[in-house]
Every structure is written in C-alpha cells, then in structure tokens.
Amino acid sequence: AKRMPSRRVRDDAPTHAVRNRPFRRVHGTTCRRGSRSSRGRSSHAIGGRGDRSHVGGTSAGMAASEVLSRRMRDVAKPPPRYLLAFLEALAAEEASQRQGNAKDDPKRPWSEGNRRGLLLLAVAENRLQASLWIAKRIHEAKPPPPDSLRYGDMRGCLRLREAAARRLFPEAAQADASVVTACNGCGSAVEMLAFSLCDPGDVAIIPAPYYPSFDNDLSTRAQVQPVGARSNRPKDLEDTFKRMEKEGKRTKMVLLTQPHNPCGDTMDLEHLKAIIQWAMDRKLHVVSDEIYLCSVYNGPVESVCTAADAVSALVAECPELAQACDERVHSIMGLSKDFAASGMRVGFIHSRNKELNNMLGGLGYFHAIPGDLQHRVAEMLEDGEFVHRFQEENRRLLKKAYDKVAGALQRVGASCVCPMGGLFVWADFRKFLDEPTWEAEDRLYERLLNEEGILLSPGRDMHALEPGFFRICFAWAGMEALDDFESRLVRFVGGLAGST
C-alpha cells in the first residue's frame, strides 16, 4: 500500500514539528561539554577531543597542537553530550563490576539490581531479548575454514557477499555478489562512499533532522561537508543545492535514511522516485542508508520502499536513466540495528557502479571484517528459517517497546511522529520548555538527566529545526526499564506543573 510522502504525526502534533521550519545551520560550530554559550555544534561521534591533557602518551603539559596534525585538529570535535553521558554510565558500570560493588548507584545504568540507575534512552542500539538469538547463532556456527586466517578479497569473501546479496538486497542485487561490498559497519560504509565519490570541500545534503554521526562519517577523513535541508522534499533539496551554489560550494551527494533516523517514518515509492530523478538531473549521487529496513513494526516490511525499488520503477518509466542510476545510486545495510549486533561491525554497500566497486577493493583494506567472522555471519544469513524467526520476534518486541514509550508520552500530553520502524521515536517536548530557545532545550535535557536519571538525545544534537524535540531510543534499556521511564516522566512533568 502506498503512503503519502508527507510525514505522519502522532496525536495532535502539528506538521511543522517535523520539517517545514527554516533550517538552522549548526555545522562547523563547536561546544565543550557543559558550555551553554555555543551548544550548536557539529555532532561528531566517538574519537573527537575529550580530555586533552594526555594525548597519545605525551606529557600532560604538552599542548594538543603539538601532538595532533593540523588536519586532525581541523576535524576533531567533541562527541554529542548525550553520547558522553552514555559512555560515562557504561564506564561506571564496568568499574562497579570490577570492584564487585552491587549497591544501587544513580550513575550506573538501570538494571533489576539497580533501579535507581540511569535510564539510557539516547543510543539507538537493540538490546531486547531477541538480540541473544544472534549471539547464540554466531557462536554455534561451524568452525570457519583455514582460509579465513589468510588474506582475502578486501571487499569481503564471496560466500558472505553472496549471502548478503540474497538476504539483504534481494531485489537490488539479484544474488549477484559483484555489486555488494562488505565492510566493518555502516559508518564505515558512509565514509568509504564519501571518500570515493566526493572531493574535500564537497557538500552532502542531508534532510534534517538527521543522525549526528553522519557529520563524523562524512567529514573526518573524507572532508565532505554535511549540510541539512529543511525536508526530504525535492523542492527543499533543490533550495539547499542552489544555496550551496551561491556560496561557491559544489554538492556531490544526497544522503537519505529509510526508515528515517530520528523520525522513524518512511518515504513512499513516488516520493523516493522524485528524489532520485532530481538527483540524476543534477548529476548527484544518492546514498540510501537502509540500516533499519528490517526493523519495521508498524506495518508490513514489504510496504517499505527501498532505493532499488525506486530505481526499478523509475527506469521502467524512463529507460534513458538506467546508466545514471547504475552509476549514482547506492544503498547501505548492516547488522548493527536489524540484527542487534552493533558490536560485530558488519555493514554492506550495494552499488552497480563498476569503477566504484573496483576502488572499494583497495579502500576495503582499511575497513575489512575479520575472516572468521565473515564465515560465521554468512552461515547465519544463509539460514533463512532462523533469520525469519528472529526478525518476526524482533519486530514483536520492538512494537511492544514502542507502545510503552508512546503510552508514556500520551500520559503526559506529549506527541511524537508516528514511526514505521527504527529503534526510537521523535518526541515533541516543546510544551515543557520554559521558553522557545535552544538554551531552554539544554535546561530541559539537563533536568531530565539530573533530576530523574532519564538520558535522551536532544534535538539540537540531531540537527532539529527548532528547539524542544528529543529522540527516545526504546530498544536499549529493556521492558521493565520502560515502565520505570513512564513513572519517572509522569513525576517530572507533574513537578513542572507544580512549579508554575
């Protein structure tokens, strides 16, 4: 069934809550953790500057400028504040386990034995019960062949690429392993494509709000500048393209997510066709990140359009676009989200661009997956019955977790974009701001964290278009923790009402 390309909004949330306000550019400005003066920043992932008093084994008194290259200093940014808080909680948990300290600690993550702990709802990682199926299946795989301990094709062994072609890109790849490249995660896939398709200083347009680590993936080594568009409508993409032209910047790529992160909604066939046709007219590359494609729980998976679906339909109508689509449309999938295996670092690129695929073989030297893991993952993907049972159970648990969060939001009178899939909801907390500013959003974020131990992804870090939106990731903490989230949120909102 086709859906309208406009975003669906839960309850009474106005449509402008998503994407039709003027885009507020935040790329390029930085902020140290705790600063309120310049919160708008490019949100880079792990690996940016943190404690710079001791870098690379040098003395604490040596300035960072004497240690890092100028190139690295130009791109290094601190991680998003929610990620810093998340990592601090994990470090506290590890330290507690080493010390054998089992007492309640509000600085450690929530657990059945630590119900005063932090509710970590800021990172899109799937730790629901079905994730244990993947760990068990990988560990029970047959011992890999001796060849797995030797050098091989840096695009991934043939067995793995064939399995991915059949299981993850069935319509696009048609079981053709030559159009699939394996790499160590989808972040690496984005970086490899940016490095291969763009020159330093080129622009990648991304519909806002968007996943903040795209900034890191695009700019750290490839030196591509991510720029947000007001929406994923072709008109807004064109407006952004023209704005970049006026600034003397060359756009080379449009980066999409399907389903969307952080909103969780999807584009229908006609919408995606229109974007691809616009991009082909402008001679741009389209990269479709489909890492959440199998995490659809509010509708049939088959109803979600992929880039390959759109290309097939578009080429059927306009055969003259076949070569351009082969050269310029690329898809990404992986195991981190849909298979609850973010720690395995397994991602895939699908492209029919032969020149690109040849280059990815050389670039893959820096992004290869360990040989034994390739065979274990291939065996799992070849097991169609297992994959089907896992995905059915995973979708059931995702729907249950989403319903809990949506129910909590309804209790406090908040709304959210109604998602088709993903591991999160995009919640509208504007009514809880004391004023409609980014500083007020910062205060709300800090109060939720410090007073109730609720860690969310604030909208500014997600390149939101206006203050007051938060991403709530519901697949990390577990079902009982989500019940506690509801009670804490109700108590917090009650306190806000009592203080006015």
Side-chain angles (χ1 to χ4, degrees):
K2 294 183 179 179
R3 290 180 298 284
M4 297 298 292
S6 59
R7 295 191 170 279
R8 298 179 295 151
V9 181
R10 182 179 173 84
D11 298 334
D12 59 348
T15 55
H16 73 267
V18 183
R19 289 188 176 179
N20 62 358
R21 287 294 181 91
F23 172 71
R24 181 179 183 276
R25 288 190 63 193
V26 298
H27 179 81
T29 58
T30 62
C31 164
R32 292 187 183 179
R33 185 168 176 256
S35 168
R36 293 171 182 262
S37 60
S38 57
R39 289 283 188 173
R41 65 172 183 264
S42 173
S43 302
H44 287 236
I46 301 171
R49 291 174 298 187
D51 178 7
R52 297 186 296 171
S53 62
H54 192 274
V55 183
T58 62
S59 63
M62 183 177 291
S65 61
E66 298 177 29
V67 178
L68 300 178
S69 67
R70 181 179 293 108
R71 178 182 62 246
M72 192 62 200
R73 294 198 307 274
D74 288 343
V75 300
K77 302 292 188 300
R81 54 196 149 157
Y82 73 83
L83 186 55
L84 283 171
F86 175 81
L87 295 175
E88 287 175 358
L90 295 188
E93 179 67 18
E94 182 180 3
S96 175
Q97 291 177 356
R98 288 184 175 183
Q99 296 166 5
N101 183 6
K103 68 177 182 179
D104 284 356
D105 183 354
K107 295 182 180 179
R108 290 165 42 216
W110 187 100
S111 67
E112 292 184 7
N114 184 32
R115 293 180 176 270
R116 294 175 57 229
L118 288 172
L119 292 171
L120 302 182
L121 308 177
V123 173
E125 187 173 33
N126 189 343
R127 286 166 39 110
L128 300 177
Q129 193 68 21
S131 64
L132 300 177
W133 293 24
I134 300 296
K136 186 172 185 292
R137 183 66 181 82
I138 291 294
H139 291 151
E140 291 178 349
K142 297 176 183 177
D147 285 350
S148 66
L149 301 179
R150 303 186 178 97
Y151 289 127
D153 190 335
M154 294 302 171
R155 293 181 60 209
C157 71
L158 181 62
R159 181 188 183 190
L160 176 61
R161 290 187 289 120
E162 286 180 340
R166 286 193 299 268
R167 191 68 58 200
L168 303 180
F169 304 102
E171 297 85 4
Q174 299 176 340
D176 181 0
S178 70
V179 299
V180 174
T181 297
C183 60
N184 58 337
C186 290
S188 289
V190 173
E191 196 229 31
M192 291 170 76
L193 290 173
F195 191 91
S196 302
L197 303 174
C198 304
D199 290 315
D202 285 345
V203 167
I205 296 176
I206 314 174
Y210 65 83
Y211 172 54
S213 287
F214 280 154
D215 294 333
N216 183 66
D217 300 339
L218 292 166
S219 66
T220 298
R221 290 202 291 182
Q223 299 179 37
V224 174
Q225 180 185 357
V227 173
R230 288 189 293 181
S231 81
N232 54 20
R233 294 187 293 268
K235 180 183 181 302
D236 290 323
L237 298 174
E238 174 69 7
D239 288 345
T240 306
F241 179 89
K242 289 181 177 178
R243 177 161 58 88
M244 292 299 101
E245 275 191 327
K246 289 181 180 179
E247 295 180 12
K249 298 176 181 178
R250 182 177 67 169
T251 300
K252 287 292 292 291
M253 176 188 295
V254 178
L255 178 54
L256 308 172
T257 53
Q258 175 83 334
H260 184 262
N261 179 6
C263 296
D265 59 345
T266 58
M267 295 172 282
D268 67 13
L269 182 65
E270 294 304 316
H271 189 168
L272 196 48
K273 278 169 53 183
I275 292 175
I276 293 175
Q277 182 157 16
W278 168 80
M280 297 304 101
D281 292 342
R282 285 296 191 181
K283 293 181 169 52
L284 304 179
H285 290 275
V286 176
V287 176
S288 180
D289 185 347
E290 299 169 359
I291 193 172
Y292 295 103
L293 190 64
C294 298
S295 296
V296 172
Y297 52 84
N298 266 341
V301 177
E302 296 76 15
S303 68
V304 179
C305 174
T306 67
D309 296 329
V311 166
S312 296
L314 184 60
V315 170
E317 298 171 4
C318 307
E320 67 275 11
L321 292 177
Q323 181 177 350
C325 288
D326 281 353
E327 293 177 349
R328 296 181 177 273
V329 180
H330 323 277
S331 302
I332 295 171
M333 284 194 73
L335 303 190
S336 292
K337 313 300 183 180
D338 286 346
F339 287 83
S342 52
M344 287 202 300
R345 312 308 306 138
V346 176
F348 300 95
I349 299 170
H350 167 265
S351 177
R352 294 192 176 279
N353 186 318
K354 295 181 180 179
E355 185 178 5
L356 171 65
N357 288 331
N358 289 336
M359 294 301 101
L360 291 177
L363 196 58
Y365 177 83
F366 304 101
H367 299 276
I369 305 167
D372 62 336
L373 182 59
Q374 291 190 46
H375 286 275
R376 292 177 183 275
V377 171
E379 181 179 313
M380 180 187 71
L381 293 177
E382 290 165 352
D383 189 345
E385 181 181 352
F386 168 80
V387 171
H388 176 76
R389 286 189 293 106
F390 164 76
Q391 291 182 339
E392 288 293 313
E393 177 65 6
N394 188 47
R395 291 178 192 126
R396 184 187 71 80
L397 292 174
L398 290 174
K399 180 65 165 66
K400 183 178 179 180
Y402 161 74
D403 287 342
K404 284 179 177 290
V405 170
L409 295 176
Q410 190 172 25
R411 278 196 63 186
V412 299
S415 59
C416 68
V417 176
C418 184
M420 274 290 287
L423 312 179
F424 34 71
V425 297
W426 186 237
D428 182 356
F429 281 4
R430 287 175 298 169
K431 65 188 297 182
F432 305 136
L433 299 180
D434 53 38
E435 60 180 10
T437 65
W438 295 109
E439 290 73 21
E441 179 183 284
D442 294 340
R443 291 192 291 271
L444 181 59
Y445 163 81
E446 290 168 358
R447 288 193 63 183
L448 283 165
L449 178 59
N450 296 328
E451 296 177 19
E452 293 294 343
I454 299 174
L455 178 62
L456 307 179
S457 309
R460 193 198 304 238
D461 286 350
M462 311 296 296
H463 301 278
L465 306 181
E466 64 175 303
F469 291 86
F470 287 79
R471 186 183 69 167
I472 305 174
C473 301
F474 51 71
W476 197 93
M479 299 299 177
E480 286 191 61
L482 296 179
D483 292 333
D484 200 12
F485 165 69
E486 179 174 344
S487 63
R488 293 189 193 188
L489 185 63
V490 169
R491 182 172 60 210
F492 177 79
V493 172
L496 291 179
S499 63
T500 56

